[in-house]
Amino acid sequence: MRTLCASTLIGEFFVIGFAGLVATQMTELSEVTIWTVSGIGMLLSLLLCGMLTRPGGVQLGWALQAALIAAGFVVPTMFFLGAVFAALWWASVHFGRKIDEAKARWAAQSETVGEAAGKPA
């Protein structure tokens, strides 16, 4: 799960940065405000890559997805991009967990086969 989710978060890092660039041209907000908010979002996306295996990491990822969608109030295209990344986040979590479960089953089976053959795994 960690690899898929981290890949999604790295993609979001770039999207948040590009959205900041677009927001400086499209809105009346000050550049300091735009880059403070964008910088926090970009930093959070990077920090979450390391927090995915810790309790609450996936939930913080969902909060970031909600923030990306909410960014559509400043840059309307972010409604669409936020929804796309929320779908990618769901797929990363869902299928990542399935892959982790399959790896664990495979490891348990290979350990069992090794013990049955009289060899340590």
Side-chain angles (χ1 to χ4, degrees), residues 34-116:
I34 291 169
W35 288 114
T36 299
V37 173
S38 296
I40 290 169
M42 292 170 74
L43 181 64
L44 182 59
S45 69
L46 289 180
L47 291 176
L48 278 172
C49 288
M51 295 176 53
L52 289 170
T53 57
R54 294 199 171 107
V58 173
Q59 289 76 14
L60 283 173
W62 280 114
L64 182 61
Q65 305 317 310
L68 279 179
I69 294 170
F73 290 109
V74 177
V75 179
T77 306
M78 288 304 293
F79 284 124
F80 172 72
L81 289 174
V84 167
F85 273 99
L88 285 172
W89 182 252
W90 175 85
S92 297
V93 171
H94 179 74
F95 293 112
R97 286 183 176 154
K98 286 189 174 205
I99 291 169
D100 289 347
E101 290 168 3
K103 283 182 180 179
R105 273 195 314 271
W106 183 78
Q109 287 174 350
S110 64
E111 186 176 300
T112 304
V113 170
E115 289 175 4

